[in-house]
Amino acid sequence: MTRKKATLPIGLAPAALYRRCDPALLPFSTTCDLDDHDDANGQGGAIGQERAVEAIRFAIGMRHRGFNLFALGAEGTGRRNLILHYLHQAAADCPVPDDWAYVDNFAENTKPRALRLPAGRGKLLEKDMERLIDELGQALPAAFESEEHRAKKRLIEEEQKERQESAFGEIQEQASTHNVSLIRTPVGLALAPIKDGEVVSPDDFKHLPEDEQDRLRGDMVALQERLEEVIKQIPRWERDSRARIRDLDQETATHAISHLMDDMKERWADQAIVLSYLDEVARDIAENVAEFVRGGDDGEDKPMLRPRHGSREGRFRRYRVNVLVNNAAATGAPVVLESHPIQPNIIGRVEYIAQFGALITDFNLIKAGALHRANGGYLVMDARKLLMNPFAWEDLKRALRGREIKVESPGQSLGLLSTLSLEPEPIPLDLKVVLIGDPMLYYLLSHHDPEFSDLFKVSADFDWKMERNAANAMLLARSVASLTRKEELRPLDRAAVARVIEQASRDVGDSRKLSTHMASLADLVREADYWAGCAAAEVVGAEHVERAVEASIYRLDRVRDSVQGEIVNGTVHVETAGAVVGQINGLAVLELGRFAFGRPSRITARIRLGKGEVIDIEREVQLGGPLHGKGVMILSSFLASRFGIDKPLSLTASLVFEQSYGEIEGDSASSAELYALLSALADLPIRQNLAVTGSVDQFGRVQAIGGVNEKVEGFFDLCRMRGLDGSHGVLIPATNVEHLMLRKDVVEACAQGLFTVYPIATVDQGIELLTGKPAGEMDARGFYPSGTVNRKVAARLANFTRRAEETGGQQRQVTVVNRTGG
């Protein structure tokens, strides 16, 4: 087996550690010379979001069912502002949607009717009905108090009275011919015998002759039967009389409101649905006119909400119009941003009023939701907030599937309520819904909700970084100019803009990219403006931007200072001088909210004769994550493939992060662990003035890792506290060089030869630099040159094998022991 000879890496030049933005290349003096970025790129200020912009335009233009939009991306990338920009732009060219109103369903009060009216005419109908109610309140009493109505009613009442008197008169005449009188008693009408014009008392009646008593009894029985027949007829005559009065009242009411209704119908002649509603109103008024002219059941006015009883406000309440959506002031389609997407705020709600110990409601208490207000346009909501609120997500999907808005409480939709409530007529739904959320939320919904992909067929993927080129740099500069004008900040000179561009690269950890996280860049500009104000400067300079960066770090780096202090004072043991066998300085990144920093860690390896095990102590005690365990398995595979092709390896090795009391995750320390293991096997000391980061593959290639800037700076800060002497440095993967955007003090130290950053491509390059010994290449016979690291490792392993054979120890290929379940 032959390999390309390792070449000793050379430290990176200062220019490779930090990619500057030359202010001279920016074609302006200050941001006052630049146009707003909204005007410059024609994409509503979007920077580096061409893919997302294309998706937004497609979703807006696609009117077919299910092509709603989900905008996924990191918070602060301008998702909401960009979406609202395009929605408002598209809405301006769309027709104004119709108004919607609810009115009483006179046939079934619990199911209010929905009226669809041209934009702006909903309020007109509401005002017309209020005017009609006011006029009815005057016209109806006046009509019923008129002499004509009174005379007709009096005539009916007199006819009824005469009819009763005539019937009783006939009975009285018949009774007189038989010496019987019809008298009134406290309990009603009665028949009694008379003699000489006087009523015969019961005692006197007993003294009458028997034949006369029998005759009087017979006559009174016949007259009683006739009287009972008349009395039975009286309720029917009264009903007939009331019916005639009711017909008279309806006729009077119809006549009184006919001219009012005619005026209303003339104004609404072009709306058939309104004409039909007005006919129903007229019919209901005529049928229930008694309520409006004679109050409640007991003749008194009572302040009840229900329309069929009570005061004038309550009696006429059912003729009001509840305008749910009023687009009178709209100039295009609505764009609604719902910031609190709970279920009632989305589909609407029915409110209740407590009255006399009970909750009562009617169609006037139906309130619109975001779907009503956005109907015919666009609705924008935060996906996380939507999903956090019970029933909101399911009811939104139900509305989109059914293409109608059905106002109901959660209890009604789940069938948990048996109490009587309103069931408003559903309103047809035609709108575009836009959800804004994190990428993980989008992927979770796509995977776990089968309806999601059918309802949200378009995704706008917002990138958090973009290419760093002249065009994008100018777009970023125009964005800064727009911000300064919008918020009345001080203008930035070209050097300050250049420093902002450099920080945009640092934020994404890539010298070839720029951050599209406009929120953090805007905060940087605001803070720089503050420091410029403290310095009484009229223009923000690069020094003010630098001060803002340093100040923001200082506010957050208390924990970093504490960690570094523990290392410097020896509480945590990390060496930065000398050389030690089986010990190396690894680098990790700690993230605390918005702040991340590098932390040096001491990694040690110990070996002994054994059964071919590499023990990951972190994994053994359940402090190592799966990715860290994977890294240890990979380095074990590399060791076995290089030194155990012809014979098994007979060793036991242990790897550990010393003084580590938290979870270790990630494979970025796998190359450092491998170097420590090779050092222990070769019995060669490793330079402690160097630190290492990088993962390794099974072929010995060093691979890129994250947080390279923080890791380099973390070890640099420790070495600077102890005193830089030119020997200190950090080994990083060669593929991470393009990600370097190191701090100014680190770059200056490297330029002065006090600190070095080495790009490492292979394990052999790294071990040569760390031990000062060549790694060694295998010759055609399968041997490594004398004095090389690989020769010493192979010899040590061969010695272990011989000793194992001598002692009869078990031999097997090296494996990673994971007694905790791996």
Side-chain angles (χ1 to χ4, degrees):
M1 176 180 180
T2 61
R3 295 184 303 277
K4 184 178 180 180
K5 184 178 180 180
T7 57
L8 196 63
I10 301 174
L12 293 172
L17 305 178
Y18 187 87
R19 181 182 174 185
R20 292 184 64 254
C21 177
D22 188 355
L25 299 179
L26 298 177
F28 57 89
S29 297
T30 69
T31 52
C32 293
D33 303 332
L34 297 175
D35 298 329
D36 288 346
H37 69 291
D38 287 7
D39 301 328
N41 63 0
Q43 294 183 355
I47 298 179
Q49 306 294 353
E50 291 79 8
R51 181 180 289 103
V53 168
E54 182 64 26
I56 294 171
R57 287 174 170 170
F58 172 75
I60 292 174
M62 179 63 71
R63 304 307 304 176
H64 295 286
R65 184 175 183 177
F67 284 86
N68 298 297
L69 176 67
F70 192 106
L72 60 150
E75 183 70 31
T77 53
R79 301 168 302 175
R80 188 178 68 175
N81 290 339
L82 180 62
I83 287 170
L84 290 177
H85 169 82
Y86 279 103
L87 293 183
H88 283 297
Q89 192 178 77
D93 298 329
C94 295
V96 178
D98 294 332
D99 290 350
W100 284 95
Y102 273 113
V103 295
D104 196 10
N105 183 349
F106 303 111
E108 196 169 358
N109 294 98
T110 60
K111 297 182 178 180
R113 290 180 53 196
L115 299 184
R116 184 171 192 165
L117 303 168
R121 300 192 68 180
K123 278 294 181 182
L124 293 179
L125 179 60
E126 180 184 39
K127 292 179 179 178
D128 283 351
M129 290 304 297
E130 288 178 353
R131 190 180 303 112
L132 176 64
I133 290 172
D134 291 339
E135 293 175 350
L136 286 175
Q138 300 174 7
L140 288 177
F144 281 83
E145 292 172 2
S146 66
E147 188 61 34
E148 179 182 1
H149 177 78
R150 288 174 180 269
K152 291 181 179 179
K153 182 178 179 181
R154 190 163 47 248
L155 178 61
I156 295 174
E157 292 173 345
E158 289 176 354
E159 288 179 355
Q160 165 66 7
K161 185 177 180 180
E162 290 176 1
R163 190 173 188 179
Q164 292 185 21
E165 291 178 351
S166 174
F168 287 124
E170 291 179 1
I171 296 176
Q172 180 64 47
E173 291 178 0
Q174 293 178 9
S176 299
T177 59
H178 295 85
N179 294 324
V180 177
S181 176
L182 180 65
I183 61 175
R184 294 184 182 274
T185 68
V187 296
L189 296 174
L191 294 171
I194 59 174
K195 186 176 182 180
D196 300 329
E198 296 292 334
V199 175
V200 178
S201 66
D203 292 337
D204 293 339
F205 184 78
K206 292 178 181 179
H207 293 90
L208 294 175
E210 288 293 334
D211 57 344
E212 188 173 354
Q213 289 184 25
D214 292 339
R215 181 185 62 78
L216 288 173
R217 288 191 186 97
D219 291 342
M220 289 191 334
V221 168
L223 290 172
Q224 183 65 35
E225 292 176 354
R226 174 59 181 159
L227 177 61
E228 290 178 357
E229 291 179 1
V230 172
I231 291 175
K232 289 180 181 180
Q233 292 292 329
I234 290 175
R236 183 170 61 83
W237 296 340
E238 290 177 347
R239 285 197 301 271
D240 293 343
S241 179
R242 287 196 298 270
R244 292 176 61 192
I245 293 176
R246 187 165 51 251
D247 292 340
L248 174 63
D249 289 347
Q250 291 182 2
E251 179 183 349
T252 302
T254 302
H255 179 73
I257 67 174
S258 60
H259 68 282
L260 300 177
M261 287 298 180
D262 291 341
D263 293 342
M264 282 279 290
K265 289 182 177 181
E266 185 177 348
R267 288 194 296 272
W268 294 92
D270 60 330
Q271 298 296 316
I273 191 170
V274 176
L275 296 179
S276 174
Y277 170 67
L278 292 176
D279 289 338
E280 293 179 8
V281 169
R283 184 163 51 252
D284 187 77
I285 292 175
E287 291 175 354
N288 301 279
V289 66
E291 298 179 9
F292 309 122
V293 296
R294 284 186 288 276
D297 296 337
D298 57 1
E300 297 181 2
D301 287 343
K302 301 176 182 179
M304 299 286 285
L305 176 63
R306 292 304 296 169
R308 297 198 181 278
H309 302 284
S311 66
R312 172 184 163 186
E313 190 278 335
R315 293 192 298 270
F316 286 102
R317 183 180 176 87
R318 66 177 179 268
Y319 304 123
R320 288 183 173 182
V321 175
N322 179 14
V323 179
L324 214 62
V325 179
N326 177 26
N327 290 312
T331 57
V335 178
V336 176
L337 176 63
E338 179 53 59
S339 59
H340 188 41
I342 61 176
Q343 192 255 13
N345 288 354
I346 294 175
I347 67 168
R349 64 189 183 278
V350 178
E351 295 182 343
Y352 293 82
I353 292 179
Q355 198 171 83
F356 301 111
L359 294 177
I360 57 177
T361 187
D362 66 3
F363 72 94
N364 289 286
L365 295 178
I366 301 173
K367 305 300 179 182
L371 289 176
H372 295 97
R373 299 193 304 274
N375 202 4
Y378 306 92
L379 174 60
V380 183
M381 291 182 290
D382 183 276
R384 185 181 65 86
K385 293 180 180 179
L386 175 67
L387 293 170
M388 287 177 63
N389 289 296
F391 312 109
W393 173 240
E394 290 300 324
D395 280 1
L396 174 64
K397 292 192 297 180
R398 187 180 299 112
L400 293 177
R401 287 196 311 268
R403 307 187 77 174
E404 65 178 18
I405 313 170
K406 187 176 182 180
V407 181
E408 59 184 0
S409 66
Q412 286 177 295
S413 62
L414 295 177
L416 300 179
L417 294 181
S418 58
T419 56
L420 182 64
S421 184
L422 296 184
E423 298 180 18
E425 180 183 356
I427 291 177
L429 180 64
D430 179 21
L431 85 169
K432 186 79 67 176
V433 176
V434 179
L435 296 183
I436 302 175
D438 297 328
M440 183 57 68
L441 195 57
Y442 173 80
Y443 298 131
L444 287 174
L445 286 171
S446 299
H447 182 71
H448 294 288
D449 192 334
E451 297 174 323
F452 176 74
S453 297
D454 289 334
L455 296 175
F456 292 87
K457 297 181 179 180
V458 185
S459 61
D461 196 350
F462 282 74
D463 201 351
W464 56 281
K465 59 185 177 181
M466 61 182 175
E467 293 296 326
R468 180 174 171 178
N469 51 41
N472 285 338
M474 284 302 300
L475 287 177
L476 187 59
R478 290 190 178 96
S479 177
V480 171
S482 178
L483 176 68
T484 58
R485 278 190 283 270
K486 180 181 179 181
E487 300 190 7
E488 299 182 353
L489 306 177
R490 294 170 180 82
L492 280 69
D493 62 23
R494 66 175 69 184
V497 174
R499 182 64 185 89
V500 171
I501 293 173
E502 293 168 358
Q503 187 62 31
S505 286
R506 171 59 191 252
D507 287 347
V508 295
D510 195 332
S511 63
R512 305 165 304 165
K513 304 289 185 179
L514 291 173
S515 172
T516 60
H517 195 274
M518 305 313 298
S520 60
L521 295 179
D523 287 341
L524 176 60
V525 174
R526 296 183 185 107
E527 293 181 30
D529 176 78
Y530 168 80
W531 293 114
C534 293
E538 295 183 357
V539 177
V540 178
E543 66 277 11
H544 303 129
V545 179
E546 187 66 35
R547 178 72 184 278
V549 173
E550 294 174 353
S552 64
I553 294 175
Y554 178 73
R555 293 192 296 269
L556 299 170
D557 69 350
R558 181 191 62 81
V559 176
R560 181 184 67 176
D561 289 349
S562 177
V563 170
Q564 292 175 346
E566 290 181 345
I567 298 176
V568 171
N569 62 31
T571 303
V572 177
H573 184 57
V574 175
E575 298 185 32
T576 56
V580 180
V581 174
Q583 177 176 294
I584 193 169
N585 292 324
L587 297 171
V589 173
L590 299 183
E591 294 187 11
L592 301 174
R594 296 177 296 150
F595 182 63
F597 62 92
R599 177 183 183 274
S601 299
R602 182 164 53 99
I603 302 173
T604 59
R606 303 292 287 173
I607 62 167
R608 60 189 180 275
L609 181 66
K611 301 178 181 180
E613 299 174 338
V614 175
I615 300 175
D616 178 9
I617 294 179
E618 307 294 337
R619 186 72 170 172
E620 288 287 309
V621 296
Q622 299 183 8
L623 288 178
L627 294 181
H628 178 259
K630 175 185 176 183
V632 174
M633 294 179 69
I634 291 174
L635 70 87
S636 303
S637 176
F638 165 77
L639 195 66
S641 64
R642 174 168 288 193
F643 300 105
I645 296 295
D646 299 327
K647 51 187 176 296
L649 303 181
S650 300
L651 84 157
T652 295
S654 59
L655 296 170
V656 67
F657 280 71
E658 302 289 357
Q659 292 183 285
S660 172
Y661 307 106
E663 184 176 350
I664 303 295
E665 179 59 313
D667 63 351
S668 65
S670 59
S671 64
E673 292 171 314
L674 179 56
Y675 293 143
L677 187 57
L678 292 175
S679 168
L681 288 169
D683 198 25
L684 290 174
I686 288 178
R687 293 170 56 186
Q688 300 301 295
N689 51 15
L690 297 176
V692 176
T693 184
S695 67
V696 65
D697 67 11
Q698 295 187 102
F699 298 97
R701 291 187 293 257
V702 178
Q703 302 172 132
I705 44 80
V708 64
N709 291 294
E710 290 79 5
K711 291 176 178 178
V712 172
E713 292 167 355
F715 190 68
F716 171 82
D717 289 337
L718 175 60
C719 296
R720 182 185 57 185
M721 292 179 190
R722 290 178 171 175
L724 295 169
D725 59 11
S727 65
H728 300 98
V730 175
L731 283 65
I732 68 169
T735 48
N736 273 126
V737 172
E738 60 195 14
H739 302 140
L740 291 175
M741 286 294 292
L742 296 172
R743 290 195 322 246
K744 182 179 180 180
D745 55 345
V746 181
V747 177
E748 290 177 351
C750 292
Q752 297 170 9
L754 298 176
F755 194 80
T756 309
V757 178
Y758 298 98
I760 303 299
T762 65
V763 171
D764 289 339
Q765 286 183 341
I767 199 64
E768 286 189 11
L769 185 61
L770 291 166
T771 62
K773 300 291 184 179
E777 296 291 329
M778 182 182 291
D779 58 22
R781 298 177 301 164
F783 295 102
Y784 294 98
S786 178
T788 61
V789 176
N790 288 329
R791 177 65 174 266
K792 291 179 178 293
V793 171
R796 188 70 171 274
L797 292 172
N799 183 43
F800 281 163
T801 301
R802 286 194 300 270
R803 290 172 58 188
E805 292 174 349
E806 292 171 358
T807 59
Q810 183 179 359
Q811 304 172 10
R812 62 185 178 88
Q813 289 289 346
V814 63
T815 58
V816 175
V817 175
N818 178 8
R819 299 188 180 92
T820 61

